[in-house]
Amino acid sequence: AAAAALLASLHPLRVHDAGNRTRLRWSGVRPLRSGGLAGLMKDTCRPGASCRCAALVHGLGDTSLTWRRILSGDADAPVPSGWRLVALDLPGTQASPAPPSPEGYVQPAQARALQAALSPLCPTWTVVGNSMGGWTAAWLALQWPEGVERLILLSPAGLRDPSGDSESTARTLASPDVAGLREFNKHVTHVERR
């Protein structure tokens, strides 16, 4: 007991994460490794039955554990039958390895890493992105339109409307096609070439 107390006092976040992971395992959430990324998966699909898939993309400074209440069913409702929920740690986060170069941290590269991890697990996805994860999810939908069936952005980072016309931005986000996402991407991306 004294050793556990010492560990908790020296590494409180690690102990907290370990406790969360244990509670998730009890609720049927399993660790996942796909396409080089680590994460968590809750699968309520029956063998041989069709399955719907949702990817949960965390924001800057977060991990797949951000989605623990949804994955475990502790949120407002349990995970419905017939769904596969996947929350991946973006490259350089938690157990996912860091990209080999700084360019691996930009949204297009993060989106490519997500696609590599998601494509072997399910052909089409509902992608939910929070904060910076929303920005990455938008890039994923732009780069992989056949794989992203629905896109849900929760307080996405990076959005700016240089014209000040919020109505135009709302129309852009309301259009779930590739052209609309390209227009959206113009507002969330600032690339400086040297």
Side-chain angles (χ1 to χ4, degrees), residues 33-45:
R33 199 164 272 290
S34 180
L37 297 182
L40 302 166
M41 180 170 68
K42 172 78 173 228
D43 197 342
T44 63
C45 299

Side-chain angles (χ1 to χ4, degrees), residues 51-105:
C51 186
R52 298 186 71 192
C53 299
L56 309 170
V57 186
H58 66 80
L60 182 65
D62 283 332
T63 69
S64 58
L65 284 174
T66 297
W67 304 101
R68 68 187 174 280
R69 293 192 63 226
I70 291 171
L71 290 166
S72 68
D74 287 347
D76 294 333
V79 176
S81 174
W83 278 89
R84 176 175 296 139
L85 301 183
V86 171
L88 293 164
D89 291 315
L90 291 172
T93 306
Q94 199 72 358
S96 290
S101 69
E103 289 78 26
Y105 287 103

